[in-house]
Amino acid sequence: MDSQTSQPSQASPPPHTFQVDLRGLVDLLSQHLYSSPKVYLRELLQNAVDAITARRAEEPGAPARVRLFAADGRLRVEDSGVGLTESDVHSLLATIGRSSKRADGLQEVRSDFLGQFGIGLLACFVVAERIRVVSRSSRTPDAPPVEWTARDDGSYTVRTVAHEERPEPGTTVHLTARAGAAEWLTERRVLQLARDFGSLLPYDVRVGEEAVTDLPAPWDRPYASPANRRVALARHCHELFGFTPLDSIALDVPVAGVRGVAYVLPAAVSPAQRATHRVHLKGMLLTERAEQLLPDWAFFVRCVLDTDSLRPTASREALYEDETLAAVREALGERVRAWLTGLAAGDPERLAAFLAVHHLGVKSLARHDPEMLRTMLPWLPFETSDGRLSLEEFAQRHPVVHFTRTVEEYRQVAPIASAQGVGVVNGGYTYDSELVEALPSVRPGTVVAELDPDTVTAHLDAVDPAEELALSGFLAAARAKLDPLGCDVVLRAFHPLSVPALHLDDRSARHEQARAEAEARADDLWAGILGSLRGGAPRARLVLNHLNPLVRRISSLGDAELIGTAAESLYGQALLMAQRPLRPADSALLNRAFIGLLEWATHGDTPHKGAARGELGRWDATPGEDDH
């Protein structure tokens, strides 16, 4: 290209600086970053404590005092910290987002600071229209104190003041309440917030003459006996969380920089409910709603602890999810696990009281932890056909531990199986079937088997072939009546005699039944699709008890219509005994059978019907010799 036609390079335009609308930023903080205006006091305490920490890094014997004075919509906070020079004020207080912890000479002790984000003082504008800071640096004690005054419109002024304004090194912050926020600066509210946020701070903090700090922490104090410790911690729990715990668990994990206590809830809670915990960071309350601090299975405890290793989020109201938090979570879970093991070994009464309320949480832990399952095996309660027992005791009684996977299946088969000497565990509740299946891994030699309808039927006595053949007409009529419901009819002899019929099905039979119902309601296209899904699953069965007097009488009827009505009644009664949810078709059947029986009982206009009515009139009669 000809050099004469080339264009000269354009000079880069000068950069521009973002302009910040302070009022808009304060609204953003108050509505989205901070959960409540009360955090302003935490930020003031945090800045004061960090300033003292910075000074003590250079002067170990420096005073460590924070004083708060509130009255008439104003608040004054004084600290004996490192203080600021005029250049510090310009570079730190007037620049949003810059932290004093980044200043020269402080980086090496930054890990000892509470704040890390450089927006703390800005939070004061949530409740104040004016902030005045008077500070004197401990590094340049001969320099005059400097005053920084800022308003919520974004303007500020800086000037030096007389030594009398701040005779000693440190900082004084003056707040003037904004309209509608004066209540946050009353002495009562300031004292309440200061104690809430700062009760574990390592320095002397007071509101007026009232002490704020209360050290050592309740879990670190010496007690005359373990019983005295439990009483004191129970009182502490009631003050913090509003309940009296079943027990308290020490959470001392020095490697993770964590000390605290977990309180066991006195009432059962849902495992799906998010547990929230109270977390202090280097003595300062970080949050009352920390989640994921403990493993999910430990939903039965609420804890309060102090840590110096976990990272806060930008709002300093939650914990940052990282590898450190994961390691702390695992370590705290081990403490809870060790507490349970200790109860099993040395305090069975307290363990029984705990399991009566929180057995679900322990079962959740035991299904993933063979050692915990082995420890808790003699204690964890299960619903069984022998009553409420532990798996250990149940396995000692029965050579084969049968179980069902649903509560409905258990209700169907438990009474009958028990009468036949077959022990059954209800595995339909949360975690129970998993624990039963894990039983052989911690109790070698134990045989575990799922109890299905075929197994139950196999344990029932067959009826003499000649008697069953004689009743073939009755069985055919009953089968014809129940066939549209997807149910077969079989005849067996079993105990107890009081049970006339037993309804048996399994999950595959129920799935097939649901598919057939959906196919019947669907249009041609969907009916064809659902029809292609038809499986060879076994149908449900109504097992009639040949030993029951009522069944014996019904089987002697000669009227097919009456036999069908009686079969429907027995089917409905068997469903109700199993406490199965009734489908619309089942409800209609029960109504139809009830009306049908009333008609047969009240219309005696024919000899046949009158005879039938007489035959059915002794449903609850005691068996005679002809019934056996």
Side-chain angles (χ1 to χ4, degrees):
M1 178 180 295
D2 190 343
S3 61
Q4 292 182 349
T5 62
S6 62
Q7 298 294 324
S9 60
Q10 297 288 334
S12 299
H16 297 281
T17 302
F18 283 107
Q19 300 297 311
V20 176
D21 179 356
L22 186 58
R23 285 179 176 170
L25 184 56
V26 169
D27 288 341
L28 182 66
L29 291 175
S30 61
Q31 295 178 25
H32 299 285
L33 184 63
Y34 295 128
S35 62
S36 166
K38 69 180 182 181
V39 298
Y40 88 92
L41 193 71
R42 184 194 63 195
E43 301 298 339
L44 288 174
L45 287 175
Q46 178 174 282
N47 287 344
V49 170
D50 284 345
I52 294 172
T53 301
R55 183 176 179 184
R56 284 201 154 189
E58 301 172 353
E59 303 176 49
R65 297 185 306 272
V66 181
R67 297 291 183 265
L68 298 93
F69 304 93
D72 301 326
R74 297 175 183 274
L75 175 65
R76 182 172 88 253
V77 182
E78 300 177 353
D79 69 65
S80 58
V82 68
L84 300 172
T85 63
E86 185 174 356
S87 61
D88 291 335
V89 167
H90 282 289
S91 63
L92 300 175
L93 298 186
T95 305
I96 295 172
R98 178 174 294 174
S99 173
S100 61
K101 272 68 77 177
R102 296 187 180 93
D104 293 340
L106 299 186
Q107 189 65 36
E108 65 272 14
V109 293
R110 188 180 175 200
S111 62
D112 293 329
F113 293 123
L114 301 176
Q116 301 282 328
F117 297 93
I119 57 176
L121 193 60
L122 196 61
C124 294
F125 280 118
V126 174
V127 298
E129 66 175 8
R130 179 172 175 266
I131 302 174
R132 176 171 171 256
V133 178
V134 179
S135 188
R136 184 172 183 176
S137 174
S138 64
R139 294 170 178 165
T140 55
D142 295 335
V146 60
E147 176 192 76
W148 176 83
T149 304
R151 295 186 175 275
D152 60 0
D153 61 1
S155 63
Y156 72 93
T157 60
V158 178
R159 68 187 182 97
T160 58
V161 295
H163 284 275
E164 291 73 18
E165 283 275 348
R166 183 73 212 193
E168 300 293 333
T171 300
T172 302
V173 179
H174 301 262
L175 300 187
T176 302
R178 65 192 305 177
E183 194 272 337
W184 291 102
L185 302 187
T186 62
E187 184 175 25
R188 178 188 60 83
R189 177 56 70 91
V190 169
L191 178 60
Q192 173 194 345
L193 294 179
R195 284 178 171 166
D196 199 33
F197 285 118
S199 62
L200 300 184
L201 289 175
Y203 304 135
D204 179 17
V205 182
R206 296 177 182 271
V207 176
E209 298 299 324
E210 296 285 342
V212 168
T213 52
D214 185 21
L215 296 176
W219 52 85
D220 284 333
R221 295 171 189 169
Y223 296 98
S225 68
N228 288 349
R229 175 183 171 84
R230 280 198 296 270
V231 170
L233 290 180
R235 188 183 306 114
H236 177 246
C237 175
H238 194 275
E239 293 172 355
L240 284 185
F241 298 115
F243 65 85
T244 300
L246 285 177
D247 205 352
S248 56
I249 307 169
L251 300 179
D252 184 7
V253 189
V255 174
V258 170
R259 290 187 64 81
V261 61
Y263 294 116
V264 182
L265 293 168
V269 293
S270 168
Q273 180 178 328
R274 274 287 182 197
T276 56
H277 310 284
R278 188 179 175 94
V279 178
H280 295 256
L281 180 62
K282 302 182 183 73
M284 179 72 75
L285 178 65
L286 181 70
T287 178
E288 299 172 284
R289 299 184 300 276
E291 297 182 354
Q292 300 177 336
L293 187 63
L294 292 176
D296 290 339
W297 55 260
F299 55 83
F300 50 83
V301 299
R302 296 290 180 270
C303 68
V304 52
L305 56 83
D306 188 24
T307 175
D308 57 17
S309 62
L310 299 178
R311 291 174 56 196
T313 58
S315 67
R316 291 189 285 280
E317 295 187 288
L319 295 172
Y320 189 81
E321 183 68 45
D322 57 9
E323 293 180 358
T324 303
L325 179 57
V328 168
R329 183 186 302 124
E330 183 177 352
L332 296 182
E334 286 296 328
R335 292 296 181 273
V336 178
R337 181 185 285 108
W339 170 78
L340 285 171
T341 304
L343 286 187
D347 201 338
E349 290 186 3
R350 285 170 62 203
L351 177 63
F354 166 75
L355 289 178
V357 178
H358 295 298
H359 58 274
L360 194 61
V362 180
K363 287 180 177 180
S364 173
L365 170 59
R367 67 193 178 118
H368 296 305
D369 190 331
E371 187 58 36
M372 182 55 62
L373 177 59
R374 185 178 293 105
T375 301
M376 293 290 111
L377 199 58
W379 308 101
L380 287 174
F382 288 78
E383 182 180 359
T384 78
S385 54
D386 292 353
R388 199 161 182 80
L389 300 174
S390 70
L391 287 182
E392 175 68 26
E393 187 175 357
F394 187 83
Q396 291 174 357
R397 297 185 181 187
H398 299 280
V400 178
V401 178
H402 289 97
F403 72 98
T404 63
R405 291 194 182 275
T406 68
V407 175
E408 289 79 7
E409 291 172 356
Y410 175 79
R411 288 170 177 167
Q412 288 177 18
V413 303
I416 308 304
S418 179
Q420 315 307 312
V422 178
V424 187
V425 177
N426 185 356
Y429 296 117
T430 306
Y431 311 134
D432 283 9
S433 62
E434 297 174 69
L435 293 175
V436 175
E437 289 181 298
L439 189 56
S441 66
V442 297
R443 196 178 190 275
T446 303
V447 179
V448 173
E450 183 176 355
L451 186 67
D452 55 25
D454 289 334
T455 304
V456 176
T457 305
H459 279 82
L460 305 180
D461 295 334
V463 177
D464 181 83
E467 290 190 54
E468 189 167 4
L469 182 62
L471 298 176
S472 59
F474 159 73
L475 293 175
R479 287 167 181 155
K481 194 67 173 179
L482 297 184
D483 182 70
L485 297 172
C487 183
D488 289 334
V489 178
V490 297
L491 190 65
R492 292 289 187 273
F494 57 87
H495 292 273
L497 299 181
S498 58
V499 178
L502 176 66
H503 183 270
L504 294 178
D505 65 356
D506 56 19
R507 277 156 289 157
S508 57
R510 289 195 290 274
H511 292 165
E512 174 61 20
Q513 191 176 59
R515 186 210 59 78
E517 291 176 354
E519 181 182 357
R521 296 192 302 267
D523 56 28
D524 292 342
L525 173 61
W526 281 108
I529 295 174
L530 292 170
S532 67
L533 300 176
R534 183 182 296 110
R539 287 152 57 94
R541 276 162 284 180
L542 182 67
V543 184
L544 301 179
N545 186 1
H546 188 53
L547 300 181
N548 179 265
L550 175 61
V551 173
R552 297 285 289 271
R553 294 190 181 95
I554 293 176
S555 65
S556 66
L557 295 173
D559 187 287
E561 184 177 351
L562 181 55
I563 290 174
T565 300
E568 287 183 331
S569 299
L570 291 174
Y571 174 85
Q573 190 245 11
L575 288 180
L576 293 175
M577 285 185 61
Q579 302 180 44
R580 285 280 306 279
L582 298 180
R583 300 168 297 159
D586 297 329
S587 299
L589 174 144
L590 284 171
N591 290 331
R592 183 171 64 248
F594 178 72
I595 297 300
L597 290 177
L598 284 179
E599 290 179 348
W600 281 100
T602 57
H603 291 78
D605 53 345
T606 66
H608 178 77
K609 287 185 178 180
R613 181 187 61 193
E615 291 171 353
L616 285 176
R618 294 192 301 127
W619 277 37
D620 59 349
T622 56
E625 293 181 358
D626 58 331
D627 294 322
H628 298 281

